[in-house]
Amino acid sequence: MATTPSAPASMPGATLEHEGKSVTLPLLTGTEGETGIDIQALRARTGLVTFDPGYGNSGSCRSSVTFIDGERGILRYRGYQIEELAEKSSFLEVAWLLLHGELPTQAELDGFATEITHHTLLHESFRRFFEALPKDAHPMPVCAAAVAALATFYQESETDRSLHDAIVRLLAKTPTIAAYSYKHSIGQPFMYPDNRLDYASNFLYLMFATPAEAYAVDPVLAKAVDLLLILHADHEQNCSTSTVRMVGSSRANLFASISAGISALWGPLHGGANQQVVEMLERIEADGGDVQKFVDRAKDKKDNSRLMGFGHRVYKNYDPRAAILKKSCAQVLNQLGVRSRLLEIAMKLEEIALRDEYFIQHKLYPNVDFYSGIIYRALGIPVNMFTVMFTIGRMPGWIAQWVEMRRDPETRIARPRQIYVGPTQRAYVPIAARRSG
Ligand code: ACO
C-alpha cells in the first residue's frame, strides 16, 4: 500500500487583515507547484470561518494519488500520464498503481490478478438479496445497497489483513454485483464467474452469457471495456471520492464508505451524466437532428436544459479522457462495423459548441461522459447500466483515496462549519396561539 503523502514545503505566508488586526497564515505548496493557504488555525486566531459552497476553492487533504491540471487538460495517476496508461496498461495494472503508488512487476500483477479472480464469487445467500428488490429497480441503488451489504458478510475488525481482504473483495465482486443487478432486471439467471477470463472479459461474460448456450467474449469489446475502466479509475477529490473520504473519516468501514460514494456518483451532474448524454442525443435525433436548436436551448438561462457531457468543475480545457474516448469511439465502432447516428450527432454538437461564443467564454468542453455512453451503447450495455460501468472503473480510486485518508495523521472527522442565516433566538409559541401562513 502506498505511504501517507509527505508534508509539502512551507512558504512564507498570506496575510489577512480583519478589524485592524493582521494574521499571517502559512502557505503550502504541492509537488506540482500549486499553492494553498493553510487555514487550520484561522478560526482559533480570528474567530472567522471561510465560506466556499461546493468547495471550489478548498483543499480538503494532501493527496499523492492523482494530479489534474484543469487549465492545461492534464490528468496523471501517481505521476503517470493518462494517455500513456490508456495505451499501455491494463485496468488491473492501473488499479495496483493507484493502490500501491508504483506500477506492478509482472509477478506482482500476476499474483494480484489471480487473487482478484478467486474472489469474484458472491456468497450463495447473496443471490436472495437481489430477489428481494423490484425488477425495474435502477441498477445504481442496487449496487450501492449490495456493496453496503458486503459489510454484513465480512464483519472482521479492521486489521491490515482484513483491510487487504476487503479491498480484494470489492475489486473482485463489483463486476459480479453489477452484472447481477442487470440480470435481475431482465429476469435472466445469474452466471457464475469464469476464472479463465480476464477482468473485463469476465464482466462481459457475466452480463451477456446465459446457461443455455456458449458465449465467446469478443476481444474488441473486452479491450474497450478495459480502456473505459482505466479512464474512470480515479479523479482526485470529486463529489463521490470526497463522499467516500468523508464517510470514512467517521471510521465507517470501507464497504459502507464506498456504498455512499456509489450513491453520490449516481447524480446526473456527476457519473449519471453518461446516461443523460445518450438520452439527450436520442432526444435530438427524435426531434429531427437539429443540433443548433439544442445548443441554443442550453445557452438560454430561462430554459434549464444543459448540454450534458459538457463542462467540468476542474477542466477549463478539453478533458483528456474525452479526447482519448473520442478517438476510441470511432475505432471501436469501426471494428464492430457499427454506424452510429448518435456519434454523428455528438460530433456535430461538439463542433457547434466549441465554435460558440457562450461555450468558449464559459470554457465548456466535452467531459469524459460525452463519448463514453456512445461506446457503451455500441458494446450492448443498457443505458441504465452506464453509471454502473463508471462505478466498476472508479473502485480502485475510491479505495486508494480511502486508504490514504485513513493512514494520514492529519485526518480528522470531516465536519464543515456554516454561516447560519436562520431566525435568531425567539420565544416559543404555544400551539393554540400559532397562525398558519
Ligand atoms: N451547458 C450549458 N451551460 C453550462 C454547462 C452546460 N453543460 N455547464 C456549465 N454551464 C454554465 C452555467 O450555466 C454557468 O453559467 P453562468 O456563469 O453564466 O451562470 C457556468 O457555465 C458555470 O457553471 P456551474 O454549474 O457553476 O459550474 P460547476 O463547476 O458548478 O459545474 C458541472 C460543473 C456540474 C459539471 C456542469 O458543467 C454541468 O452541469 N455539466 C453538465 C453535466 C455533466 O456533464 N456532468 C458530468 C461532469 S464529469 C463527471 O462528473 C464524471
Side-chain angles (χ1 to χ4, degrees), residues 285-350:
E285 188 185 17
D287 199 28
D290 189 346
V291 172
Q292 184 65 53
K293 187 168 116 196
F294 200 86
V295 171
D296 291 341
R297 281 187 58 197
K299 294 188 298 185
D300 182 357
K301 294 288 173 207
K302 287 192 258 19
D303 186 322
N304 62 6
S305 59
R306 282 190 165 197
L307 204 50
M308 300 311 284
F310 257 73
H312 198 276
R313 171 60 61 78
V314 176
Y315 292 116
K316 301 302 165 201
N317 199 327
Y318 213 100
D319 179 338
R321 301 166 302 172
I324 297 169
L325 279 179
K326 183 179 179 185
K327 215 164 110 201
S328 142
C329 202
Q331 266 166 9
V332 170
L333 294 178
N334 196 19
Q335 282 169 317
L336 296 174
V338 177
R339 182 174 168 256
S340 165
R341 176 80 185 114
L342 291 196
L343 178 61
E344 288 164 14
I345 295 177
M347 288 171 72
K348 186 87 198 137
L349 199 60
E350 179 191 325

Side-chain angles (χ1 to χ4, degrees), residues 109-149:
L109 180 60
D110 293 346
F112 186 51
T114 304
E115 210 179 1
I116 300 284
T117 303
H118 287 89
H119 282 83
T120 46
L121 273 177
L122 295 184
H123 192 289
E124 278 301 296
S125 48
F126 212 123
R127 291 167 162 251
R128 291 202 299 279
F129 169 91
F130 294 95
E131 283 158 23
L133 302 172
K135 283 258 181 286
D136 58 355
H138 193 286
M140 277 303 274
V142 174
C143 285
V147 166

